[in-house]
Structure formats: structure tokens, C-alpha cells
Amino acid sequence: MKQATFLFILIVMLVAGFDQGFSKENINNKDILQNMEISDNDLKRISRKTIFFGHQSVGSNMLDALKISKITGSNIKINKISSAGELRKAYLNHMYLGQNYDPFGKVQGFAQIFSDFKDTYPDIAFFKFCYLDINPDTDIVTLFNFYKQTMAEIQKKYPMVVFMHATVPLVQMQTGPKAWIKRLIGKPVTGLSDNVARVKFNELLRAEYSGRAVVFDIAESESTAPDGRREIFTRDGREYYALVPQYSDDGAHLNDQGGRVLAAKLVLSLNAAAEQHTSKWNN
């Protein structure tokens, strides 16, 4: 008994020491946005559009990175609003939408904001769920069908608006000695089951909208390291994705590097949406 207790204490001490020895790769301070294949004309096209973006904290992480980006700083203007009446033309307008843990409420909130717009409507509009909105208890099919039906209704009512669709963010999966010990004693490893649910929702969203609408694929960018490798784990015989560890300091929100990666993806997606909007008005 004493030997078992000593062994357990030794393992805990080793884990603590090992965890303290972990260090994420140093953040590359080079502006990721400067490496994009996007021209000044593309940025000007985006800057002429009135954009609405509903989000929570991860959305703020990427917008913060966009604000300090050298390449977009003088082009894309950002305006934080708290109501539909504050929407400004030729700005990327954003607001906190709904409450976390209530994905159905966020869908309804996005529909409601369009009812509140009066004289000015956005050219491009989208919102994102939070990682907290999707978990193993979420009825993925029911939620997605509700989202799809609501978005179709809004699109029919506002045919000249380009609606983007965003995948659900992922979280980091727990690895290393702590994860090993959890598996050893039968406890769930942090991040796995929740990410499985998010991946399944994202698969439905991509299958529905890829090829006919702009998909702002947050999850794909979050799970792709700078060298192109994906952050993968296996569950029940198939592969799923997780947040790249070096993109976050707390396992869920984006740090400086993660924010820049997603800001770059956002600019590329907005450019595609801006092209669609211009095409709508020219046809």
C-alpha cells in the first residue's frame, strides 16, 4: 500500500514537472496577412462593402488581430455596434450576438437583427457559433436543420445580401502525461467528445453550403498548423480535428498567432463574398 501511494505521488510530481517544462513554439511576429495572395484591389473591394458579423469571444480574437494588421489597417474599417441602428456603411460592423450555450437563440438573434435594420442593410452578413454552443448533448441534426431553414428564410427575404456561413470553432485536446493518467484511471480527456460533436456539425454545414456559398472555415484553419499538418485525434475508428496548441494560450481562445491565422482566413472569405455581392448587382 505504501509503495502504491509513493508511486502515485512520484507520478504526480513527474507530471507537474513535465508540464512546467512544456513550452509552445515562439509566436512568429511576422504578419501572416502579408503572406496572403490578395491584392490591394481585393482589399478595396472589401472596404467598400457594408458587413455585419455576429460573434462572441473567439470572434473578438480574430478582429483584434485584424485591427493591428499592417496590410488591412488602412483599408478595412471596423465598427463595434450594440444595435442595428448603429450599422455604418462601408464598415465591418460587429456585435456580440446571443448567449453562449444557447445556439438556437443565436440563430434567432441573427434573424431578429435583420428585422431591426431600417434604412441601411449589410451587403455581407454572417455569424458564428461559439465552441461552448456545441457539446455531446447537442442535437446536431435538429440544430443544423433549424439553422438551414432560418438562413433560407432570411436569404429569400433579403436576396441582395450575401450570407456567409462559419464553421464552429474547436478546442485543444489534452495531451501529455495528464491525458495519459486520465485514460489510465478512466476519466475523459478534455476536448475530445466536444470536438467530435463540433466536427459533425461542421461536416453538415460544409456539405450544405460549400460550392454555392462562402464558407468561413474557422475549424479548418484552427486545426491546421503553419507547416500544413492537421491536429488530429482518433475516436471510434475515425479521425477528428482539434485546435492547434500553438494558436491558443488557454486551449480555446485564440492568442496572437491564432488570431492572425483566422484574420487571414476571414479576409479571404470576405473577398470571396464581396466578389459575389458585386456579381449580384451587375447581373
Side-chain angles (χ1 to χ4, degrees), residues 12 25 31 55 62 71 79 101-102 110 122 138 144 151 168 180 184 193 238 273 278:
V12 171
E25 292 182 26
D31 197 330
H55 64 89
M62 62 183 77
I71 194 170
N79 178 41
Y101 301 102
D102 182 13
F110 186 71
T138 304
F144 180 73
M151 296 301 292
V168 181
W180 178 80
L184 186 66
S193 296
R238 65 157 290 184
T278 299

Side-chain angles (χ1 to χ4, degrees), residues 9-255:
I9 293 173
L10 179 61
I11 291 174
V12 171
M13 291 175 65
L14 287 172
V15 169
F18 193 80
D19 278 354
Q20 290 174 357
F22 276 133
S23 61
K24 293 184 176 71
E25 292 182 26
N26 292 329
I27 292 174
N28 183 357
N29 291 322
K30 187 175 181 179
D31 197 330
I32 294 171
L33 293 174
Q34 291 184 334
N35 295 328
M36 295 189 307
E37 293 182 1
I38 191 164
S39 67
D40 288 339
N41 286 334
D42 293 331
L43 291 171
K44 289 178 182 178
R45 183 188 301 111
I46 297 171
S47 70
R48 289 192 290 265
K49 303 300 181 182
T50 302
I51 304 166
F52 173 74
F53 174 29
H55 64 89
Q56 287 287 339
S57 55
V58 173
S60 293
N61 297 156
M62 62 183 77
L63 289 177
D64 287 343
L66 190 61
K67 288 175 186 177
I68 63 175
S69 167
K70 298 175 183 177
I71 194 170
T72 64
S74 60
N75 293 284
I76 301 176
K77 301 179 293 294
I78 299 175
N79 178 41
K80 185 176 180 180
I81 64 176
S82 57
S83 67
E86 298 172 2
L87 190 78
R88 297 181 67 178
K89 291 184 178 181
Y91 273 77
L92 196 174
N93 302 271
H94 70 103
M95 69 181 297
Y96 288 120
L97 180 71
Q99 299 294 324
N100 287 338
Y101 301 102
D102 182 13
F104 289 91
K106 288 185 179 180
V107 177
Q108 292 171 328
F110 186 71
Q112 181 60 49
I113 196 73
F114 268 85
S115 299
D116 295 339
F117 288 133
K118 301 300 181 184
D119 299 325
T120 301
Y121 289 91
D123 302 315
I124 301 166
F126 66 110
F127 80 97
K128 58 167 285 300
F129 292 108
C130 178
Y131 61 89
L132 294 171
D133 295 327
I134 308 290
N135 60 62
D137 296 324
T138 304
D139 187 333
I140 298 298
V141 174
T142 298
L143 174 60
F144 180 73
N145 286 337
F146 181 66
Y147 171 84
K148 182 173 68 171
Q149 178 182 346
T150 303
M151 296 301 292
E153 291 170 355
I154 302 173
Q155 182 70 84
K156 185 177 181 180
K157 191 172 182 180
Y158 305 95
M160 298 311 294
V161 177
V162 171
F163 290 95
M164 296 199 328
H165 305 272
T167 55
V168 181
L170 305 172
V171 299
Q172 182 181 338
M173 60 178 177
Q174 192 172 34
T175 58
K178 285 186 178 179
W180 178 80
I181 290 176
K182 280 187 175 183
R183 291 189 178 96
L184 186 66
I185 62 179
K187 287 189 175 182
V189 175
T190 303
L192 300 190
S193 296
D194 289 345
N195 277 345
V196 166
R198 294 167 191 137
V199 168
K200 289 180 178 179
F201 182 90
N202 291 340
E203 288 174 343
L204 291 174
L205 186 140
R206 293 189 192 99
E208 179 67 26
Y209 296 110
S210 292
R212 66 184 187 87
V214 178
V215 175
F216 174 30
D217 206 334
I218 297 171
E220 181 182 56
S221 293
E222 283 190 330
S223 61
T224 304
D227 63 3
R229 289 180 295 179
R230 301 293 298 276
E231 186 75 5
I232 295 173
F233 66 94
T234 302
R235 189 76 178 269
D236 298 328
R238 65 157 290 184
E239 292 182 340
Y240 295 93
Y241 302 100
L243 174 62
V244 172
Q246 70 194 83
Y247 292 163
S248 176
D249 294 327
D250 64 3
H253 296 93
L254 300 172
N255 59 20

